[in-house]
Amino acid sequence: MPIGVPRVPFLLPGEEDSVWIDIYNRLYRDRLLFLGQQIDSELSNQLIGLMIYLSVEDETKDLYLFINSPGGWITPGLALYDTIQFVRPDVQTICLGLAASMGSFLLVGGHITKRIAFPHARVMIHQPASSFYEAQTAEFILEAEELLKLRDTITRVYVQRTGKPLWVVSEDLERDVFMSATEAQAHGLVDLVAFH
């Protein structure tokens, strides 16, 4: 039987009695954000709203984005990446489980020196993909041109944020490249592997 979202007691400032709130809202108050599913417009907008709100509330405290995601849509992912770069607080990105595709792109987008992978995490990079087979010929050509632009953008971000040469990143993006936490660190996708 599913338990739903757990609720925890929380004492609001100025109140004498605790109220019960869902665990995610409690963790958001401590600036802990979670990307635990496929990225789409709704999820991206929710995380963007939280990041902007929390950065306005206090621009000096880091935000923590925990990632366990198979990836997802390119445009909502790029919007989230841009927000990570835009907000004043540093955004620490932490991979637990899997950061694949757009999930790895967001992982590498965290503040350099504050990108972390848990010891058993997996990171996967590859080129952006689309559903060409569903498009008519004219749409296919337009979509292919846009996809090439997006691939160039994504490749350049990986080059900038990993310090790897363009040819290495381009070659890696040709196929699915799965990495352990230590391999992701050697590749420049994360700065630290968290050991207990």
Side-chain angles (χ1 to χ4, degrees):
M1 177 162 110
I3 61 169
V5 178
R7 295 172 100 39
V8 295
F10 179 70
L11 184 61
L12 293 167
E15 297 290 325
E16 291 184 21
D17 297 324
S18 295
V19 295
W20 287 86
I21 62 173
D22 71 78
I23 196 164
Y24 290 107
N25 279 313
R26 173 64 184 97
L27 293 169
Y28 297 155
R29 293 181 181 277
D30 287 329
R31 309 174 78 76
L32 306 174
L33 309 173
F34 297 86
L35 172 57
Q37 63 194 56
Q38 184 169 334
I39 301 156
D40 61 17
S41 294
E42 183 180 351
L43 178 62
S44 175
N45 287 335
Q46 289 172 356
L47 286 170
I48 288 168
L50 281 166
M51 286 183 180
I52 291 172
Y53 172 78
L54 292 170
S55 69
V56 168
E57 186 178 68
D58 187 342
E59 64 181 40
T60 63
K61 290 184 183 174
D62 286 6
L63 298 171
Y64 301 84
L65 178 61
F66 290 87
I67 301 170
N68 182 18
S69 173
W73 298 1
I74 297 170
T75 306
L78 289 172
L80 195 47
Y81 173 85
D82 286 344
T83 304
I84 290 169
Q85 305 310 307
F86 171 76
V87 294
R88 296 292 288 243
D90 291 348
V91 178
Q92 296 192 34
T93 52
I94 303 109
C95 176
L96 43 104
L98 175 69
S101 190
M102 188 52 69
S104 68
F105 187 76
L106 296 172
L107 176 64
V108 81
H111 186 83
I112 293 176
T113 72
K114 297 181 179 182
R115 302 170 302 179
I116 302 166
F118 279 22
H120 297 104
R122 303 294 292 167
V123 178
M124 187 272 281
I125 62 172
H126 66 176
Q127 64 182 314
S130 186
S131 53
F132 288 142
Y133 60 87
E134 296 175 4
Q136 299 296 323
T137 305
E139 293 171 351
F140 173 84
I141 292 168
L142 291 173
E143 194 170 322
E145 288 175 8
E146 181 62 19
L147 197 57
L148 288 172
K149 290 177 190 172
L150 288 171
R151 181 193 164 112
D152 183 60
T153 298
I154 288 169
T155 302
R156 292 191 183 286
V157 168
Y158 276 120
V159 166
Q160 174 202 12
R161 304 207 47 93
T162 64
K164 295 292 181 194
L166 179 63
W167 70 269
V168 170
V169 173
S170 295
E171 190 174 291
D172 285 345
L173 291 179
E174 285 298 317
R175 65 202 186 290
D176 293 354
V177 177
F178 284 88
M179 295 174 239
S180 67
T182 52
E183 290 168 335
Q185 182 182 23
H187 207 77
L189 296 167
V190 296
D191 305 300
L192 303 166
V193 176
F195 290 103
H196 40 237

